[in-house]
Amino acid sequence: MAKNEGQIAIKKYANRRLYNTGTSTYVTLEDLAEMVKKGEDFTVQDAKSGDDITHQVLTQIIFEQESKTGNTLLPISFLRQLITYYGDQMQMVVPSFLEHSMRAFTEQQVQMREQVTRAFGETPLTKNLALPMQMVEDQVRRNTEMFQQAMQMFSPFKAPTAAAKEGRKAEAKDIDELKEQLRALQSKLDSL
C-alpha cells in the first residue's frame, strides 16, 4: 500500500468490496487493519450514498480481530460496562474518555519502551517487554478505576456497595504492592 499525503478515501460498494482510491486497488478489512497499524489516515464512504461509514468499518475490523484470535483485547467485563453506557446520560463522556485513555496508554507505552531500552540496551527483556507491559496493564487498570470513580461522581445518589468498598481496600493493597515492586525495579535500574 502506498502511503499518500493526507487522508485516503476508501469506497465501499454494495457487493461489500472496498476500493482504495489512493492506490486504485481493491482492499480487504485485513488491509485496512494494516493501514491503521501503519498510521495511515483514511475514511470509508458508501459508494452509492457517499455517507461516511468509517466508524462501522473500523468496528467491523475490531470484531473480526477479536473473533479470529484467541487473544482478545476487550475483556467481557469491559464490553458489558461499555454496553451499559449506551443510552445513559454519560454516553457523551465515554468516547472522549476512551480516546484520552488510549492516547495516554500509547504515550506511556512508548516511554516505557524507551526507558527499558535506555536502561538495558537491546536485550531479550526489551524485545519481550513482559514486565514493562505488566506495569502498563496496571496503569490501564488504575485508569479504569479512575474512570469508574469519575462516573460515580456523576451519579452521586448511588451509594457504593460493601463489595465495592472491599474491592477498593484490596486495590489499595495491590497498589501498595505495585509501588514496592516499582521501587525494587528502580533500585535495580539505578544500580546499573
Side-chain angles (χ1 to χ4, degrees), residues 1-190:
M1 305 266 154
K3 186 170 182 175
N4 295 344
E5 292 299 319
Q7 200 169 57
I8 300 166
I10 307 292
K11 302 244 182 215
K12 185 173 184 181
Y13 291 94
N15 64 1
R16 295 191 288 178
R17 292 198 68 187
L18 298 161
Y19 184 76
N20 183 333
T21 61
T23 59
S24 299
T25 58
Y26 285 99
V27 293
T28 64
L29 290 176
E30 187 80 24
D31 294 328
L32 293 182
E34 284 303 314
M35 289 173 67
V36 169
K37 290 176 183 178
K38 291 177 184 175
E40 296 181 32
D41 192 17
F42 62 85
T43 60
V44 183
Q45 301 166 344
D46 183 282
K48 186 175 182 180
S49 68
D51 292 342
D52 185 344
I53 57 170
T54 308
H55 185 271
Q56 292 93 325
V57 171
L58 292 175
T59 304
Q60 186 178 0
I61 291 170
I62 291 169
F63 175 76
E64 287 196 4
Q65 293 291 319
E66 289 280 311
S67 298
K68 79 176 184 180
T69 66
N71 227 358
T72 60
L73 289 178
L74 304 172
I76 291 174
S77 60
F78 173 79
L79 293 171
R80 289 178 194 224
Q81 193 171 23
L82 191 60
I83 290 168
T84 64
Y85 290 115
Y86 283 97
D88 186 83
Q89 62 191 12
M90 295 310 299
Q91 182 174 344
M92 294 177 2
V93 177
V94 174
S96 61
F97 174 80
L98 292 176
E99 199 171 338
H100 174 72
S101 295
M102 286 304 293
R103 190 171 30 255
F105 175 76
T106 302
E107 290 169 3
Q108 290 169 355
Q109 183 182 24
V110 168
Q111 291 172 356
M112 181 75 66
R113 287 177 194 259
E114 289 172 356
Q115 289 173 352
V116 170
T117 302
R118 271 196 308 264
F120 298 107
E122 195 66 31
T123 67
L125 174 66
T126 58
K127 291 178 183 173
N128 183 356
L129 293 177
L131 177 62
M133 290 314 295
Q134 178 62 43
M135 292 167 43
V136 172
E137 288 173 13
D138 294 337
Q139 181 64 41
V140 170
R141 183 181 50 78
R142 287 192 294 275
N143 287 349
T144 304
E145 291 167 3
M146 289 188 321
F147 176 65
Q148 290 170 339
Q149 291 171 356
M151 291 300 114
Q152 287 176 351
M153 288 174 49
F154 290 104
S155 301
F157 304 110
K158 193 175 187 181
T161 63
K165 290 178 184 175
E166 200 60 39
R168 286 192 196 124
K169 289 179 186 176
E171 290 168 357
K173 183 180 175 188
D174 289 344
I175 290 173
D176 290 340
E177 289 174 9
L178 287 172
K179 286 179 182 177
E180 186 57 39
Q181 290 174 1
L182 284 173
R183 281 189 208 104
L185 183 60
Q186 185 63 46
S187 65
K188 286 181 183 178
L189 289 174
D190 291 342

